[in-house]
Amino acid sequence: MALGVGGLLVAGVLVFVPGEKHGAPPPAGPEARALTAVTAGAPATSTDLAALIRDRAAWVGKHPDDARAWAVLGSAYVQRGVRQADPAAFPKAEQALDRALSGPAGTSARPSAPTSARASVSAQAPMSAQASTSAQAPMSAQASTSPTTPTAPTTPTTPAAPAAAGAPGGGGDAKAPRGDLAPAAVNPPSEALIGLASLADARNDYLTARKWGERALKRAPTAWAAYPALIDAYNGLGDYEAAGRAADRLAKALPKTPAASAAYAVVYQDRGWREDAAAKASDAVEHAASPAQKGAALGRLGDLAWERGEPKEALGQYDAALQAAPDQFAAQAGRGRALAALGRTDDAYQAYESALAKLPRPQDTLEFGELYDSLGLTGDAQTQYARLLAQTAKGRRGGVDENLVLGRYESDHGDPDAALTRLTAEWTGGRHSIEVADALGWALYRSGDATRALTYATTATEQGRRSALYLYHRGEIERTLGMKAEARRHLDEALRTNPYFSPLLAPRAREALDAVGGSSTSGGTATAGTADPAADGDGGGVADVPREPARNAGAAGAARTPDAAGGASGRSATRP
């Protein structure tokens, strides 16, 4: 339930779809603020969301045929689930959104038969993708592919087939959103379709999110609130070209708005255009229309600073995010990692605990456990890992696909073979993002197959995004394969990109770099509990990577897609 574009877009992009009638009168006060945010795909405060949920629940109790009110209620539950990391909100969201798609007599607008059951790996079953001119369809899962021998990354060309019961990519504890609209819903409200796309994104079911988002735009081409969900879906599927095109269309329709700026910030981050991503995130802060929106945009600035290896700058942005919106709990977790990098370990403990008490995200819990692990506090680390397993179990009950975070956990702290099974399910199910490529490559390496692992590690590191973790993984794999020069280059680049990237793994990266003849001091020497002197400067990192050459057009052409050999084929990279 990571916050993507949908958790960041700001300002009133769309309150209601133009040209549609609206039966329910707008509520007043905090309900109105939340209504504006929810229907625009923008963040609302927890207090305002609670007020909107109460208001819409009361309204539909008296007006059960008001489809649009049901859609708003469902979308509000989606946002509550994301903002509070509470997957129990997602079944409630699904029920409300299903009701929004029902006919006047309550006839279901979706087929009565559910999609296939989920397999034991607990990945949500991907839906069959509709052909789209704006999205590159992920490749089909091959029936003959073994869970332990994933196929090499290739440029996807065909839609993914629905996962059969028991197949990789299927199965779980809660039903997945169902398929095509039945005749009873010949004119569904666009808000319901957008809400279903956002729900699928929150559950990490990006194929389904893409389907509903594209259907919303077909239904109402000016439904700009669909774009946050669509961009998240395209990114989750690894279709970065489609994400860029969507950002370009949003910016063309709504120029110089925080919505377009936030979308570009995410797209540019995935391209590796760090300065441009930060500039767009700053634009989103400047034009934020509410404290919640400003806090979300400042949190993005903190994330970008952290990724650049600038913990002091990141800490300042996270503090500003919390000052703007005290319930921006993701920023509190960000403070934890930044404080640990600056040697303020006790403060880091407090920040993580405060964040996880309000926003129990598994990825943050994994970070917290690894902080304890790095300090030799094994018992405390195991407590956090048990906490992570409880969180992901709750997520699965709410229909969330938790395979990526569980795969990362299993690779380093559990059963690498189990990680491989989970992550193979993600890849063969159509989730071809750089995050999954990196995690799958690392699971292969930890399972003893360094040769195949390198294919995926190459894919993860050559599409643009500068991730110290991914570079470290690639360098370790190359070191195992005896590729000393390549390993030295990528390990050094990892430490130059962010010498603090992990309190547990950054020291290992320095040891590995020394072992292949590099100099770990070139990438900094900071560990948890030992602040790097450079961090006390003006917020800069230990080493600045030179800025990439300027480009002059939109974001769409910037993607690099995996080729059949697992490398990357570049396209002309342009941006405004």
Side-chain angles (χ1 to χ4, degrees), residues 259-310:
S261 297
Y264 271 135
V266 174
V267 170
Y268 289 168
Q269 182 182 19
D270 285 331
R271 301 290 183 269
W273 300 344
R274 301 185 304 178
E275 292 182 4
D276 299 274
K280 290 299 183 181
S282 295
D283 289 344
V285 173
E286 181 180 353
H287 299 293
S290 73
Q293 296 163 2
K294 184 176 182 179
L298 286 164
R300 170 62 65 181
L301 278 173
D303 293 341
L304 291 167
W306 171 255
E307 190 174 79
R308 295 193 304 268
E310 302 174 4

Short mmCIF file of all heavy atoms in Angstrom, two decimals, residues 259-310:
data_model
loop_
_atom_site.label_atom_id
_atom_site.label_comp_id
_atom_site.label_asym_id
_atom_site.label_seq_id
_atom_site.Cartn_x
_atom_site.Cartn_y
_atom_site.Cartn_z
N ALA A 259 -1.28 18.85 -9.67
CA ALA A 259 -1.56 17.48 -10.12
C ALA A 259 -0.54 17.03 -11.14
O ALA A 259 0.07 15.97 -11.03
CB ALA A 259 -2.97 17.40 -10.70
N ALA A 260 -0.34 17.85 -12.17
CA ALA A 260 0.63 17.50 -13.21
C ALA A 260 2.04 17.48 -12.65
O ALA A 260 2.86 16.62 -13.02
CB ALA A 260 0.51 18.49 -14.36
N SER A 261 2.36 18.42 -11.78
CA SER A 261 3.71 18.46 -11.21
C SER A 261 4.02 17.21 -10.41
O SER A 261 5.10 16.63 -10.52
CB SER A 261 3.85 19.70 -10.31
OG SER A 261 3.71 20.89 -11.06
N ALA A 262 3.06 16.76 -9.60
CA ALA A 262 3.28 15.56 -8.80
C ALA A 262 3.42 14.33 -9.68
O ALA A 262 4.23 13.44 -9.41
CB ALA A 262 2.14 15.38 -7.80
N ALA A 263 2.61 14.27 -10.76
CA ALA A 263 2.72 13.14 -11.68
C ALA A 263 4.10 13.11 -12.32
O ALA A 263 4.74 12.05 -12.40
CB ALA A 263 1.64 13.23 -12.75
N TYR A 264 4.57 14.24 -12.77
CA TYR A 264 5.89 14.30 -13.39
C TYR A 264 6.99 13.96 -12.39
O TYR A 264 8.00 13.35 -12.75
CB TYR A 264 6.15 15.69 -13.97
CG TYR A 264 5.70 15.86 -15.41
CD1 TYR A 264 5.01 17.00 -15.81
CD2 TYR A 264 5.99 14.90 -16.37
CE1 TYR A 264 4.60 17.17 -17.12
CE2 TYR A 264 5.58 15.06 -17.68
CZ TYR A 264 4.88 16.19 -18.06
OH TYR A 264 4.48 16.35 -19.37
N ALA A 265 6.82 14.35 -11.14
CA ALA A 265 7.85 14.04 -10.13
C ALA A 265 8.06 12.53 -10.03
O ALA A 265 9.20 12.05 -9.96
CB ALA A 265 7.46 14.61 -8.77
N VAL A 266 6.97 11.77 -10.04
CA VAL A 266 7.08 10.31 -9.96
C VAL A 266 7.67 9.74 -11.25
O VAL A 266 8.56 8.89 -11.22
CB VAL A 266 5.70 9.69 -9.67
CG1 VAL A 266 5.77 8.18 -9.73
CG2 VAL A 266 5.21 10.14 -8.31
N VAL A 267 7.20 10.24 -12.39
CA VAL A 267 7.72 9.75 -13.67
C VAL A 267 9.20 10.05 -13.80
O VAL A 267 10.00 9.18 -14.21
CB VAL A 267 6.92 10.38 -14.84
CG1 VAL A 267 7.58 10.08 -16.18
CG2 VAL A 267 5.49 9.84 -14.84
N TYR A 268 9.61 11.26 -13.45
CA TYR A 268 11.02 11.62 -13.57
C TYR A 268 11.90 10.82 -12.59
O TYR A 268 13.04 10.48 -12.90
CB TYR A 268 11.20 13.12 -13.32
CG TYR A 268 10.66 14.01 -14.41
CD1 TYR A 268 10.52 15.38 -14.21
CD2 TYR A 268 10.27 13.50 -15.64
CE1 TYR A 268 10.02 16.21 -15.20
CE2 TYR A 268 9.77 14.32 -16.64
CZ TYR A 268 9.65 15.67 -16.42
OH TYR A 268 9.16 16.49 -17.39
N GLN A 269 11.37 10.54 -11.42
CA GLN A 269 12.13 9.71 -10.47
C GLN A 269 12.43 8.35 -11.08
O GLN A 269 13.55 7.83 -10.96
CB GLN A 269 11.36 9.56 -9.17
CG GLN A 269 12.09 8.75 -8.11
CD GLN A 269 11.28 8.58 -6.85
OE1 GLN A 269 10.06 8.74 -6.86
NE2 GLN A 269 11.93 8.26 -5.75
N ASP A 270 11.44 7.76 -11.74
CA ASP A 270 11.65 6.46 -12.37
C ASP A 270 12.59 6.54 -13.57
O ASP A 270 13.18 5.53 -13.96
CB ASP A 270 10.31 5.86 -12.80
CG ASP A 270 9.52 5.33 -11.62
OD1 ASP A 270 10.14 4.91 -10.62
OD2 ASP A 270 8.28 5.34 -11.68
N ARG A 271 12.74 7.72 -14.14
CA ARG A 271 13.69 7.90 -15.24
C ARG A 271 15.12 8.12 -14.74
O ARG A 271 16.06 8.10 -15.52
CB ARG A 271 13.30 9.12 -16.09
CG ARG A 271 11.93 9.05 -16.70
CD ARG A 271 11.82 8.01 -17.80
NE ARG A 271 10.50 8.05 -18.40
CZ ARG A 271 9.47 7.34 -18.00
NH1 ARG A 271 9.61 6.52 -16.96
NH2 ARG A 271 8.30 7.42 -18.60
N GLY A 272 15.26 8.41 -13.45
CA GLY A 272 16.58 8.77 -12.94
C GLY A 272 16.89 10.24 -13.07
O GLY A 272 18.03 10.65 -12.85
N TRP A 273 15.91 11.06 -13.39
CA TRP A 273 16.10 12.50 -13.54
C TRP A 273 15.84 13.16 -12.19
O TRP A 273 14.79 13.73 -11.92
CB TRP A 273 15.16 13.05 -14.60
CG TRP A 273 15.34 12.43 -15.96
CD1 TRP A 273 16.41 11.70 -16.40
CD2 TRP A 273 14.41 12.50 -17.04
NE1 TRP A 273 16.20 11.30 -17.70
CE2 TRP A 273 14.99 11.78 -18.12
CE3 TRP A 273 13.17 13.09 -17.21
CZ2 TRP A 273 14.35 11.64 -19.36
CZ3 TRP A 273 12.52 12.94 -18.43
CH2 TRP A 273 13.12 12.24 -19.49
N ARG A 274 16.80 13.08 -11.33
CA ARG A 274 16.58 13.42 -9.92
C ARG A 274 16.33 14.90 -9.71
O ARG A 274 15.44 15.28 -8.93
CB ARG A 274 17.78 12.95 -9.10
CG ARG A 274 18.00 11.45 -9.22
CD ARG A 274 19.11 10.96 -8.32
NE ARG A 274 20.36 11.65 -8.56
CZ ARG A 274 21.48 11.41 -7.86
NH1 ARG A 274 21.47 10.54 -6.88
NH2 ARG A 274 22.60 12.05 -8.15
N GLU A 275 17.10 15.75 -10.35
CA GLU A 275 16.90 17.19 -10.16
C GLU A 275 15.53 17.63 -10.69
O GLU A 275 14.86 18.47 -10.08
CB GLU A 275 18.01 17.97 -10.83
CG GLU A 275 19.38 17.79 -10.17
CD GLU A 275 20.46 18.62 -10.83
OE1 GLU A 275 20.13 19.40 -11.75
OE2 GLU A 275 21.62 18.50 -10.43
N ASP A 276 15.14 17.06 -11.81
CA ASP A 276 13.85 17.43 -12.38
C ASP A 276 12.70 16.92 -11.52
O ASP A 276 11.68 17.60 -11.36
CB ASP A 276 13.74 16.87 -13.80
CG ASP A 276 14.82 17.41 -14.70
OD1 ASP A 276 14.61 18.50 -15.28
OD2 ASP A 276 15.88 16.78 -14.80
N ALA A 277 12.84 15.71 -10.98
CA ALA A 277 11.82 15.18 -10.09
C ALA A 277 11.65 16.10 -8.87
O ALA A 277 10.53 16.40 -8.45
CB ALA A 277 12.18 13.77 -9.65
N ALA A 278 12.77 16.54 -8.31
CA ALA A 278 12.71 17.43 -7.15
C ALA A 278 12.07 18.76 -7.52
O ALA A 278 11.28 19.32 -6.74
CB ALA A 278 14.10 17.65 -6.58
N ALA A 279 12.37 19.27 -8.71
CA ALA A 279 11.78 20.54 -9.13
C ALA A 279 10.27 20.42 -9.26
O ALA A 279 9.52 21.32 -8.84
CB ALA A 279 12.40 20.99 -10.45
N LYS A 280 9.80 19.32 -9.84
CA LYS A 280 8.36 19.14 -9.99
C LYS A 280 7.68 18.93 -8.64
O LYS A 280 6.57 19.41 -8.41
CB LYS A 280 8.09 17.96 -10.92
CG LYS A 280 8.46 18.23 -12.38
CD LYS A 280 7.68 19.39 -12.96
CE LYS A 280 7.98 19.61 -14.41
NZ LYS A 280 7.23 20.78 -14.97
N ALA A 281 8.33 18.20 -7.75
CA ALA A 281 7.75 18.03 -6.41
C ALA A 281 7.67 19.36 -5.69
O ALA A 281 6.70 19.63 -4.96
CB ALA A 281 8.58 17.03 -5.61
N SER A 282 8.67 20.22 -5.90
CA SER A 282 8.62 21.56 -5.30
C SER A 282 7.47 22.37 -5.86
O SER A 282 6.81 23.13 -5.13
CB SER A 282 9.95 22.28 -5.54
OG SER A 282 11.01 21.64 -4.88
N ASP A 283 7.21 22.23 -7.16
CA ASP A 283 6.07 22.92 -7.76
C ASP A 283 4.76 22.45 -7.10
O ASP A 283 3.86 23.26 -6.85
CB ASP A 283 6.01 22.63 -9.26
CG ASP A 283 7.11 23.33 -10.04
OD1 ASP A 283 7.74 24.26 -9.49
OD2 ASP A 283 7.35 22.94 -11.20
N ALA A 284 4.66 21.14 -6.83
CA ALA A 284 3.46 20.62 -6.20
C ALA A 284 3.27 21.19 -4.81
O ALA A 284 2.15 21.48 -4.38
CB ALA A 284 3.53 19.09 -6.15
N VAL A 285 4.37 21.38 -4.08
CA VAL A 285 4.28 22.00 -2.76
C VAL A 285 3.78 23.43 -2.88
O VAL A 285 2.88 23.87 -2.15
CB VAL A 285 5.66 21.99 -2.06
CG1 VAL A 285 5.61 22.78 -0.76
CG2 VAL A 285 6.11 20.56 -1.78
N GLU A 286 4.34 24.16 -3.82
CA GLU A 286 4.00 25.58 -3.97
C GLU A 286 2.52 25.79 -4.27
O GLU A 286 1.91 26.75 -3.79
CB GLU A 286 4.85 26.19 -5.09
CG GLU A 286 4.60 27.67 -5.32
CD GLU A 286 5.45 28.23 -6.44
OE1 GLU A 286 6.33 27.50 -6.95
OE2 GLU A 286 5.24 29.41 -6.82
N HIS A 287 1.94 24.88 -5.04
CA HIS A 287 0.55 25.07 -5.48
C HIS A 287 -0.44 24.22 -4.69
O HIS A 287 -1.61 24.14 -5.08
CB HIS A 287 0.43 24.75 -6.97
CG HIS A 287 1.27 25.64 -7.83
ND1 HIS A 287 1.03 26.99 -7.97
CD2 HIS A 287 2.38 25.38 -8.57
CE1 HIS A 287 1.93 27.52 -8.79
NE2 HIS A 287 2.77 26.56 -9.15
N ALA A 288 0.01 23.62 -3.60
CA ALA A 288 -0.90 22.77 -2.82
C ALA A 288 -2.11 23.56 -2.33
O ALA A 288 -1.98 24.71 -1.91
CB ALA A 288 -0.16 22.16 -1.64
N ALA A 289 -3.26 22.91 -2.39
CA ALA A 289 -4.50 23.59 -2.04
C ALA A 289 -4.98 23.28 -0.63
O ALA A 289 -6.00 23.82 -0.21
CB ALA A 289 -5.60 23.21 -3.05
N SER A 290 -4.30 22.41 0.08
CA SER A 290 -4.71 22.07 1.45
C SER A 290 -3.48 21.59 2.21
O SER A 290 -2.48 21.20 1.61
CB SER A 290 -5.77 20.97 1.44
OG SER A 290 -5.19 19.72 1.11
N PRO A 291 -3.54 21.61 3.54
CA PRO A 291 -2.42 21.10 4.33
C PRO A 291 -2.09 19.64 4.02
O PRO A 291 -0.92 19.25 3.96
CB PRO A 291 -2.89 21.27 5.77
CG PRO A 291 -3.85 22.41 5.72
CD PRO A 291 -4.56 22.25 4.41
N ALA A 292 -3.12 18.80 3.81
CA ALA A 292 -2.87 17.39 3.51
C ALA A 292 -2.12 17.25 2.20
O ALA A 292 -1.19 16.43 2.08
CB ALA A 292 -4.18 16.62 3.45
N GLN A 293 -2.49 18.04 1.22
CA GLN A 293 -1.84 17.99 -0.08
C GLN A 293 -0.40 18.50 0.02
O GLN A 293 0.53 17.92 -0.57
CB GLN A 293 -2.65 18.80 -1.09
CG GLN A 293 -4.03 18.22 -1.32
CD GLN A 293 -4.98 19.20 -1.98
OE1 GLN A 293 -4.62 20.33 -2.30
NE2 GLN A 293 -6.22 18.78 -2.16
N LYS A 294 -0.21 19.56 0.78
CA LYS A 294 1.15 20.10 0.96
C LYS A 294 2.03 19.08 1.69
O LYS A 294 3.19 18.89 1.33
CB LYS A 294 1.09 21.41 1.73
CG LYS A 294 2.45 22.10 1.88
CD LYS A 294 2.31 23.45 2.56
CE LYS A 294 3.67 24.14 2.66
NZ LYS A 294 3.54 25.48 3.31
N GLY A 295 1.48 18.45 2.72
CA GLY A 295 2.25 17.46 3.46
C GLY A 295 2.68 16.29 2.59
O GLY A 295 3.81 15.80 2.69
N ALA A 296 1.77 15.83 1.71
CA ALA A 296 2.11 14.72 0.82
C ALA A 296 3.22 15.11 -0.14
O ALA A 296 4.14 14.33 -0.40
CB ALA A 296 0.87 14.27 0.05
N ALA A 297 3.15 16.32 -0.68
CA ALA A 297 4.18 16.76 -1.63
C ALA A 297 5.52 16.95 -0.94
O ALA A 297 6.58 16.62 -1.50
CB ALA A 297 3.73 18.06 -2.30
N LEU A 298 5.52 17.49 0.27
CA LEU A 298 6.77 17.62 1.02
C LEU A 298 7.36 16.25 1.37
O LEU A 298 8.59 16.08 1.36
CB LEU A 298 6.53 18.42 2.30
CG LEU A 298 6.34 19.93 2.11
CD1 LEU A 298 5.71 20.55 3.36
CD2 LEU A 298 7.67 20.61 1.79
N GLY A 299 6.49 15.29 1.64
CA GLY A 299 6.98 13.95 1.88
C GLY A 299 7.68 13.38 0.67
O GLY A 299 8.71 12.69 0.78
N ARG A 300 7.16 13.67 -0.53
CA ARG A 300 7.83 13.24 -1.76
C ARG A 300 9.20 13.88 -1.89
O ARG A 300 10.17 13.22 -2.28
CB ARG A 300 6.95 13.57 -2.96
CG ARG A 300 7.63 13.38 -4.31
CD ARG A 300 8.04 11.96 -4.57
NE ARG A 300 6.90 11.06 -4.67
CZ ARG A 300 7.00 9.75 -4.89
NH1 ARG A 300 8.20 9.20 -4.98
NH2 ARG A 300 5.93 9.00 -4.97
N LEU A 301 9.30 15.16 -1.54
CA LEU A 301 10.62 15.81 -1.57
C LEU A 301 11.60 15.13 -0.61
O LEU A 301 12.78 14.98 -0.92
CB LEU A 301 10.48 17.29 -1.20
CG LEU A 301 10.05 18.23 -2.33
CD1 LEU A 301 9.78 19.63 -1.78
CD2 LEU A 301 11.13 18.30 -3.41
N GLY A 302 11.10 14.73 0.55
CA GLY A 302 11.95 14.00 1.48
C GLY A 302 12.41 12.68 0.91
O GLY A 302 13.59 12.30 1.03
N ASP A 303 11.51 11.95 0.26
CA ASP A 303 11.88 10.68 -0.36
C ASP A 303 12.95 10.87 -1.42
O ASP A 303 13.89 10.07 -1.54
CB ASP A 303 10.66 10.02 -0.98
CG ASP A 303 9.63 9.57 0.05
OD1 ASP A 303 9.99 9.44 1.25
OD2 ASP A 303 8.47 9.35 -0.34
N LEU A 304 12.80 11.92 -2.22
CA LEU A 304 13.77 12.17 -3.29
C LEU A 304 15.14 12.53 -2.70
O LEU A 304 16.18 12.09 -3.21
CB LEU A 304 13.26 13.29 -4.20
CG LEU A 304 12.04 12.93 -5.06
CD1 LEU A 304 11.44 14.19 -5.68
CD2 LEU A 304 12.44 11.94 -6.15
N ALA A 305 15.14 13.34 -1.65
CA ALA A 305 16.41 13.68 -1.00
C ALA A 305 17.07 12.45 -0.42
O ALA A 305 18.29 12.27 -0.50
CB ALA A 305 16.19 14.74 0.08
N TRP A 306 16.28 11.57 0.19
CA TRP A 306 16.84 10.34 0.74
C TRP A 306 17.46 9.48 -0.35
O TRP A 306 18.55 8.95 -0.21
CB TRP A 306 15.76 9.55 1.47
CG TRP A 306 16.24 8.18 1.87
CD1 TRP A 306 15.93 7.00 1.29
CD2 TRP A 306 17.18 7.89 2.91
NE1 TRP A 306 16.60 5.97 1.90
CE2 TRP A 306 17.37 6.50 2.90
CE3 TRP A 306 17.85 8.67 3.84
CZ2 TRP A 306 18.23 5.86 3.80
CZ3 TRP A 306 18.71 8.03 4.74
CH2 TRP A 306 18.89 6.65 4.71
N GLU A 307 16.76 9.34 -1.44
CA GLU A 307 17.27 8.53 -2.54
C GLU A 307 18.59 9.09 -3.08
O GLU A 307 19.44 8.33 -3.56
CB GLU A 307 16.23 8.46 -3.66
CG GLU A 307 16.54 7.45 -4.76
CD GLU A 307 15.43 7.31 -5.76
OE1 GLU A 307 15.32 8.20 -6.64
OE2 GLU A 307 14.65 6.34 -5.67
N ARG A 308 18.76 10.40 -3.00
CA ARG A 308 20.01 11.03 -3.44
C ARG A 308 21.13 10.89 -2.42
O ARG A 308 22.25 11.34 -2.66
CB ARG A 308 19.79 12.53 -3.71
CG ARG A 308 18.85 12.85 -4.84
CD ARG A 308 18.95 14.33 -5.22
NE ARG A 308 18.71 15.23 -4.10
CZ ARG A 308 17.53 15.73 -3.77
NH1 ARG A 308 16.45 15.38 -4.47
NH2 ARG A 308 17.39 16.55 -2.75
N GLY A 309 20.85 10.33 -1.26
CA GLY A 309 21.88 10.21 -0.23
C GLY A 309 22.08 11.47 0.57
O GLY A 309 23.18 11.76 1.03
N GLU A 310 21.01 12.24 0.80
CA GLU A 310 21.07 13.50 1.53
C GLU A 310 20.15 13.41 2.76
O GLU A 310 19.05 13.95 2.78
CB GLU A 310 20.66 14.66 0.63
CG GLU A 310 21.53 14.79 -0.62
CD GLU A 310 21.02 15.85 -1.58
OE1 GLU A 310 20.05 16.55 -1.24
OE2 GLU A 310 21.59 15.97 -2.68
#
